[in-house]
Amino acid sequence: NAGVMQNPRHLVRRRGQEARLRCSPVKGHSHVYWYRQLPEEGLKFMVYLQKENIIDESGMPKERFSAEFPKEGPSILRIQQVVRGDSAAYFCASSGQNEKLFFGSGTQLSVL
Amino acid sequence: QKEVEQDPGPLSVPEGAIVSLNCTYSNSAFQYFMWYRQYSRKGPELLMYTYSSGNKEDGRFTAQVDKSSKYISLFIRDSQPSDSATYLCAMSANYGGSQGNLIFGKGTKLSVKP
């Protein structure tokens, strides 16, 4: 019974490149959430998706960030033209309807 | 004023001690309160979940919520070295599919010395 799977665990990008972070939710879960954890900061909500729909993106930066959860395949968090300030741990969580969140182990993004 | 305040520590205690972790919050709409444990380089793991005010006990862990004071606590009895981790409080106004928009504290780093 696999939990939330995130890959890669570590991602290094140079400024201006694109970062793509993947998240496979717990089998049967249709709700996916992305959080960001900056150094010395708490987890911050970014976006909540259901299959093929963005439900709440109130925590997403207005530019360069996008997320999707297609009908087939993992959820993707995409960051275009990365900057040093994007360096952080990005966590994905999933849940069933009205159920608690299960978090993945995160992707540590480092921007050089 | 931040929505959720949590002392980052670090907190160091001897094995067997009772540990008290706390958070305060400002949004009176919060009704759901959670404590997560996060080991280094891992994702948060839900420890305790409480709705509204009151106490909840699970083994060595007790969660307390005082909505009148906007104050929540997590107590760990007979602490063990394996309890060494960062403890995050989290809260939200809703539960269910949209409850994933949790507001987290910054976390308290706990070290239990053998």
Side-chain angles (χ1 to χ4, degrees), chain A residues 9 31 33 35 37 40-43 45 48 56 58 91 95 97-101 103-105, chain B residues 2 36 38 41-46 88 95-107:
Chain A
R9 287 298 311 275
H31 304 264
Y33 315 84
Y35 281 77
Q37 190 171 38
E40 309 302 323
E41 293 289 328
L43 282 157
F45 169 81
Y48 160 45
D56 180 355
S58 58
F91 290 95
S95 76
Q97 184 67 27
N98 297 329
E99 295 179 1
K100 66 181 182 180
L101 267 63
F103 280 84
S105 291
Chain B
K2 290 187 184 295
Y36 284 83
Q38 186 176 21
R41 288 184 283 279
K42 295 289 187 183
E45 170 195 10
L46 181 64
L88 307 163
Y95 206 70
S98 62
Q99 63 92 6
N101 187 348
L102 301 177
I103 309 300
F104 280 86
K106 288 187 178 183

Side-chain angles (χ1 to χ4, degrees), chain B residues 44-93:
Chain B
E45 170 195 10
L46 181 64
L47 277 178
M48 301 289 284
Y49 155 75
T50 311
Y51 169 69
S52 195
S53 286
N55 293 1
K56 186 170 185 179
E57 188 173 322
D58 184 0
R60 296 185 295 111
F61 298 90
T62 300
Q64 289 186 351
V65 175
D66 181 349
K67 289 190 71 180
S68 62
S69 301
K70 297 190 178 69
Y71 187 86
I72 69 170
S73 300
L74 176 71
F75 297 96
I76 307 174
R77 290 183 299 282
D78 188 25
S79 55
Q80 303 295 310
S82 59
D83 294 327
S84 299
T86 297
Y87 290 80
L88 307 163
C89 63
M91 45 200 81
S92 72

